[in-house]
Amino acid sequence: MLNTKNKLLIILFATTFWNVGAQTKIELSPREKPVTISKHIYGHFAEHLGRCIYDGFYVGEDNTAIPHTNGVRNDVVAALKELQIPNLRWPGGCFADTYHWKDGIGPKEKRPAIVNNWWGGVTEDNSFGTHDFLDMCELLETEPYLAGNVGSGEVQELADWVQYVNFEGRSPMSDLRRQNGREKPWKVKFWGVGNEAWGCGGHMTAEYYSDIYRKYATFMSDWSNTGGLYRIASGANSADYHWTETLMKKLPKNLVKGIALHHYAVIDWNKKGPAIEYTDEQYFRTMKSAWFMNELVEKHSAIMDKYDPNKEIALVVDEWGGWYEVEPGTNPGFLYQQNTMRDAMIAGMTLNIFNNHADRVKMANLAQTINVLQAVILTKGEKMITTPTYHVMEMYKVHQDAELIPLAIDSKSFVWNDEAIPAVSASASKAKDGKTYLSLVNIDPKANQDVEINLGKAFSGVSGRVLTSKELRDFNDFDAPQRIAPRPFDGSKLNKERLHVSLPPFSVVVLALDEQ
């Protein structure tokens, strides 16, 4: 039987064991009032841009080389269902404010062609329209998020679109829908009222857009009596806090459910740097820009808290991701870029930020799904591959609709010259399967990070997966589609309520903890 002195020595030994070499310390502390990490944080974005829609999602009903369902690639559908994507934003982006939805309904041979002035100046034949997109969302088992045309469209046009897709009774628009082959409405919940109104959506001031929003939102009627439309206002460009302040002051709560925010991890808008052969300095600057998302979310949320202390209006980050120069030899307007381990770092860090602010961030959309910017899927003819970003999203899906476990983190810094950002980010949740999940990211490209975690209570077991590679600039391509993929992780040691994790350089780790 141990005496008091021996017990004290054991406690001191255990404390010393967990503190030795620990560079980062994390403490989990469940809150009294639970917060759910909305699954809609894990949304995606599909714009009529480059090869995202055509040659990405859609290969045409007459294609005999690629297996498809009504023109939509079956391999893409399977891959996105594996991610459990909760929503998909369409048709833009900048394209949304030049898109007239009636051009994309009815017999395809009779649909008018337009020029995509924003993205490459290519001719758009409108063969992929409202029915095609909403039917595809049913295949994907995901909710559609439609971005309405406010920049060049009229109020009646947007009101008609809502009626066309949502009204079950007799009306001019619902009758037109039936004429075009769809009896039941799709019941679309999520609606963007314009896009980037401060820029490609009309170069408006915040004050002017607020009035325009009120007008358009008023005539977007809903007849389902199931809680109404989820109207999302075109929000700020990165650190434009005046825009958020103005919208929160001027928009009535009965007309708005969410306010958007757009921010990309970019080194310099005039010199974005390459997607693959980036320098160490360019890597650091990309990570610094990605980490800036944390400050943006906190500062925009603080403004929203002044006017909406009960957090009834969501912050919707419906465009985020890395943005680099296009791949050599590709159309500059198509925004096709390769996806390396740097992109996995952006994805893991950003999703941790969103999770940790789940009381205000209720929805987000990675830009974009296929062949554009930080894509989760790349296609080339009959071939399709998934990217490092895809694998992060798949690993993190355990957080969807789970209960957030707040945490405090004291991280070692990732330093470049005289600048520094945290090397480690993390988020935690308790899922409906009873397990506690912990996601950890080490963005340092050269150093392991030893992390000591106080779990707050004892657990009986731990397992996990890691995403990393031999080189930071590694990527999956059509000749080596599985070069980067998750694998089992054995770098954690559990001692009841203490967890020690050794994170490899540039890695994403997701751990599952079993209750006692």
Side-chain angles (χ1 to χ4, degrees):
M1 186 172 180
L2 295 173
N3 60 33
T4 302
K5 182 179 179 180
N6 287 337
K7 287 180 181 178
L8 181 59
L9 287 173
I10 290 172
I11 291 170
L12 288 172
F13 174 80
T15 302
T16 302
F17 174 78
W18 288 112
N19 285 336
V20 167
Q23 301 160 313
T24 294
K25 295 180 174 62
I26 298 174
E27 185 163 357
L28 274 58
S29 54
R31 68 177 77 193
E32 292 182 6
K33 187 178 179 180
V35 170
T36 298
I37 299 172
S38 172
K39 66 180 181 180
H40 290 292
I41 284 173
Y42 291 82
H44 293 262
F45 176 28
E47 184 169 6
H48 285 242
L49 196 174
R51 296 192 302 113
C52 184
I53 299 297
Y54 302 105
D55 200 36
F57 281 100
Y58 182 74
V59 293
E61 289 89 337
D62 298 330
N63 193 303
T64 58
I66 300 172
H68 63 84
T69 301
N70 297 325
V72 176
R73 295 181 65 128
N74 292 342
D75 52 2
V76 164
V77 171
L80 293 179
K81 286 179 74 172
E82 179 63 23
L83 288 188
Q84 298 174 6
I85 68 168
N87 68 75
L88 185 61
R89 183 174 179 241
W90 176 85
C94 292
F95 183 80
D97 281 301
T98 59
Y99 181 67
H100 300 283
W101 68 270
K102 289 182 181 177
D103 291 345
I105 61 172
K108 298 197 176 190
E109 66 276 8
K110 294 183 179 179
R111 298 180 187 179
I114 62 170
V115 176
N116 191 334
N117 290 320
W118 287 110
W119 306 118
V122 297
T123 299
E124 159 73 55
D125 68 2
N126 278 308
S127 58
F128 190 88
T130 295
H131 288 250
D132 307 276
F133 174 71
L134 296 180
D135 289 348
M136 181 179 77
C137 286
E138 291 182 338
L139 277 178
L140 292 168
E141 298 176 7
T142 192
E143 289 200 57
Y145 170 15
L146 296 178
N149 182 346
V150 170
S152 67
E154 299 298 331
V155 173
Q156 186 65 54
E157 182 179 1
L158 184 51
D160 283 349
W161 202 14
V162 175
Q163 187 180 98
Y164 186 89
V165 302
N166 278 8
F167 189 54
E168 192 161 4
R170 293 294 304 277
S171 75
M173 291 301 103
S174 58
D175 286 348
L176 181 59
R177 181 190 69 240
R178 293 184 184 93
Q179 179 183 321
N180 288 326
R182 174 78 180 198
E183 175 62 33
K184 294 291 184 181
W186 291 276
K187 299 290 185 183
V188 176
K189 176 181 178 181
F190 297 110
W191 292 83
V193 185
N195 167 77
E196 294 188 357
W198 40 264
C200 62
H203 288 97
M204 305 177 196
T205 64
E207 291 76 11
Y208 179 75
Y209 172 72
S210 295
D211 289 337
I212 289 291
Y213 176 93
R214 292 163 70 110
K215 181 179 179 181
Y216 277 74
T218 297
F219 291 94
M220 295 170 66
S221 301
D222 180 67
W223 307 269
S224 63
N225 297 315
T226 56
L229 302 179
Y230 198 105
R231 300 177 184 87
I232 299 168
S234 173
N237 176 22
S238 197
D240 186 351
Y241 302 114
H242 170 74
W243 191 279
T244 299
E245 184 103 37
T246 303
L247 266 56
M248 291 302 296
K249 281 181 181 178
K250 298 191 67 174
L251 300 187
K253 286 186 179 179
N254 67 313
L255 289 181
V256 61
K257 293 284 190 181
I259 290 180
L261 170 66
H262 290 180
H263 173 69
Y264 288 91
V266 63
I267 299 168
D268 183 326
W269 284 108
N270 296 314
K271 193 174 181 181
K272 302 180 189 72
I276 302 174
E277 299 300 328
Y278 44 87
T279 65
D280 289 348
E281 180 178 3
Q282 287 172 327
Y283 172 73
F284 176 85
R285 303 224 168 275
T286 305
M287 290 300 102
K288 183 179 179 182
S289 181
W291 177 242
F292 186 52
M293 180 69 83
N294 190 68
E295 179 178 325
L296 290 173
V297 168
E298 289 183 347
K299 289 187 174 181
H300 284 289
S301 296
I303 293 168
M304 297 175 76
D305 287 346
K306 290 194 299 182
Y307 302 93
D308 177 35
N310 294 326
K311 303 183 188 296
E312 298 174 46
I313 299 173
L315 183 60
V316 178
V317 191
D318 57 12
E319 288 189 30
W320 68 271
W323 195 319
Y324 323 118
E325 302 295 346
V326 303
E327 290 304 296
T330 65
N331 187 325
F334 282 12
L335 305 186
Y336 178 81
Q337 61 190 41
Q338 197 33 276
N339 197 287
T340 71
M341 280 300 302
R342 173 173 64 171
D343 297 280
M345 298 299 98
I346 293 173
M349 174 196 288
T350 304
L351 291 171
N352 282 338
I353 292 168
F354 293 161
N355 288 348
N356 289 327
H357 294 89
D359 58 343
R360 180 62 79 179
V361 179
K362 303 293 179 64
M363 190 170 179
N365 299 82
L366 175 67
Q368 294 186 8
T369 315
I370 308 176
N371 295 328
V372 172
L373 298 178
Q374 193 173 338
V376 293
I377 289 172
L378 302 177
T379 65
K380 182 180 180 182
E382 299 174 31
K383 295 181 180 180
M384 184 210 79
I385 59 172
T386 53
T387 67
T389 299
Y390 175 96
H391 293 303
V392 174
M393 299 289 278
E394 189 276 326
M395 292 167 71
Y396 273 55
K397 69 183 180 183
V398 294
H399 291 303
Q400 291 189 23
D401 282 344
E403 182 182 324
L404 174 68
I405 301 176
L407 52 80
I409 181 168
D410 180 11
S411 171
K412 183 183 177 183
S413 294
F414 169 35
V415 179
W416 179 265
N417 294 333
D418 59 348
E419 298 180 82
I421 54 177
V424 176
S425 69
S427 64
S429 69
K430 183 170 182 177
K432 293 175 182 177
D433 64 6
K435 293 180 184 288
T436 291
Y437 291 97
L438 181 64
S439 49
L440 300 155
V441 181
N442 174 19
I443 64 171
D444 192 311
K446 297 178 181 177
N448 274 56
Q449 301 295 323
D450 289 317
V451 184
E452 178 190 350
I453 305 163
N454 181 356
L455 299 168
K457 64 178 183 179
F459 289 86
S460 62
V462 61
S463 61
R465 292 189 296 163
V466 61
L467 187 76
T468 189
S469 193
K470 291 182 180 179
E471 302 292 338
L472 176 65
R473 293 159 184 83
D474 281 350
F475 56 90
N476 292 336
D477 59 25
F478 296 98
D479 295 322
Q482 294 296 319
R483 180 182 289 121
I484 300 171
R487 56 180 173 78
F489 180 66
D490 59 5
S492 61
K493 295 179 180 178
L494 177 66
N495 184 356
K496 295 183 179 179
E497 63 182 43
R498 295 279 184 171
L499 180 66
H500 190 89
V501 183
S502 179
L503 294 175
F506 61 93
S507 65
V508 178
V509 170
V510 176
L511 301 173
L513 293 154
D514 297 313
E515 298 277 354
Q516 284 250 6

